[in-house]
Amino acid sequence: SYELTQPLSVSVALGQTARITCGGNNIGSKNVHWYQQKPGQAPVLVIYRDSNRPSGIPERFSGSNSGNTATLTISRAQAGDEADYYCQVWDSKDVVFGGGTKLTVL
Amino acid sequence: QVQLVQSGAEVKKPGASVKVSCKASGYTFTSYDINWVRQATGQGLEWMGWMNPNSGNTGYAQKFQGRVTMTRNTSISTAYMELSSLRSEDTAVYYCARERTRDAFDIWGQGTMVTVSS
């Protein structure tokens, strides 16, 4: 079965750029979606199909996908960006989530 | 506005079944698939399966095959997820989420806490 690998944690200084990776075999050939989840809340879609932002998501959130790695980039990180982030793909008829990355804003 | 509203928390004994509902509003219920995702405390997201509300067709993750059933009532725009033979490891928050044609999950329910305890 297909697997997605994310770092357990990423730290970023306030106002700097955070990058969260999602590794998978030839993931560049798949559409990758990213979700933000804050404690006690349901996940929220922040990037869909590699690099598209839903309405209401700040331009500071961007995504890319190539080869074996997809990346979620958060520019000018704010305290409110502190959360867990999950990548997700469809593998044939199944959904696969990455293990999640805890983003800490210092 | 577009939303999915789930039923309330449940406490079940091992071996019992639980049925969680997910009521859609603000959009055409039959135009989007409904997926179910669960999350144990402190753990990641785990996909359980999908259902097409228009046809009733379903697809389940292998881990839950034989134990999960996803259904719907289109007259009240509500999807259901029933999990049987519950065990303590099934204690988790269960989410429904809508999606169209193997795309992103753009709207999520608020989650339903299911506790399995003797």
Side-chain angles (χ1 to χ4, degrees):
Chain A
S1 61
Y2 195 78
E3 293 185 358
L4 295 174
T5 302
Q6 295 183 238
L8 282 176
S9 62
V10 168
S11 298
V12 61
L14 188 67
Q16 297 304 303
T17 297
R19 293 179 179 83
I20 298 172
T21 58
C22 176
N25 184 33
N26 197 25
I27 195 174
S29 67
K30 299 180 182 296
N31 287 321
V32 179
H33 315 298
W34 290 91
Y35 303 89
Q36 175 193 69
Q37 186 180 34
K38 297 181 178 179
Q41 298 183 17
V44 172
L45 179 67
V46 294
I47 292 289
Y48 64 97
R49 289 183 231 137
D50 298 341
S51 58
N52 297 278
R53 276 178 295 103
S55 61
I57 300 301
E59 291 183 9
R60 301 185 297 103
F61 288 79
S62 62
S64 63
N65 184 19
S66 179
N68 293 318
T69 304
T71 303
L72 172 68
T73 300
I74 305 171
S75 305
R76 303 182 299 282
Q78 301 178 359
D81 298 332
E82 201 162 271
D84 294 326
Y85 291 85
Y86 296 88
C87 57
Q88 176 249 314
V89 301
W90 281 88
D91 179 47
S92 183
K93 295 182 180 181
D94 288 343
V95 168
V96 181
F97 285 102
T101 298
K102 181 176 181 57
L103 177 68
T104 300
V105 180
L106 304 171
Chain B
Q1 73 280 27
V2 176
Q3 60 179 353
L4 298 172
V5 178
Q6 300 183 221
S7 49
E10 303 263 12
V11 179
K12 296 292 183 181
K13 294 194 181 303
S17 297
V18 68
K19 191 170 186 177
V20 180
S21 67
C22 171
K23 183 172 177 59
S25 61
Y27 73 97
T28 301
F29 178 59
T30 50
S31 295
Y32 291 78
D33 289 353
I34 294 290
N35 286 254
W36 291 88
V37 177
R38 76 178 187 180
Q39 185 174 39
T41 301
Q43 302 301 307
L45 302 174
E46 181 176 33
W47 178 75
M48 300 179 70
W50 61 267
M51 181 199 62
N52 181 303
N54 187 42
S55 64
N57 289 345
T58 56
Y60 303 139
Q62 189 170 8
K63 174 177 180 175
F64 299 101
Q65 291 268 7
R67 233 173 31 106
V68 70
T69 305
M70 295 177 188
T71 57
R72 88 290 191 209
N73 183 334
T74 55
S75 67
I76 57 172
S77 299
T78 300
Y80 303 92
M81 185 283 299
E82 184 170 21
L83 188 62
S84 63
S85 302
L86 290 170
R87 35 210 188 229
S88 59
E89 309 90 89
D90 295 317
T91 294
V93 176
Y94 289 75
Y95 295 101
C96 60
R98 80 167 194 179
E99 154 271 315
R100 175 179 272 172
T101 320
R102 299 196 179 86
D103 207 340
F105 296 175
D106 65 339
I107 301 293
W108 294 65
Q110 84 276 20
T112 296
M113 182 71 211
V114 175
T115 302
V116 182
S117 174
S118 55

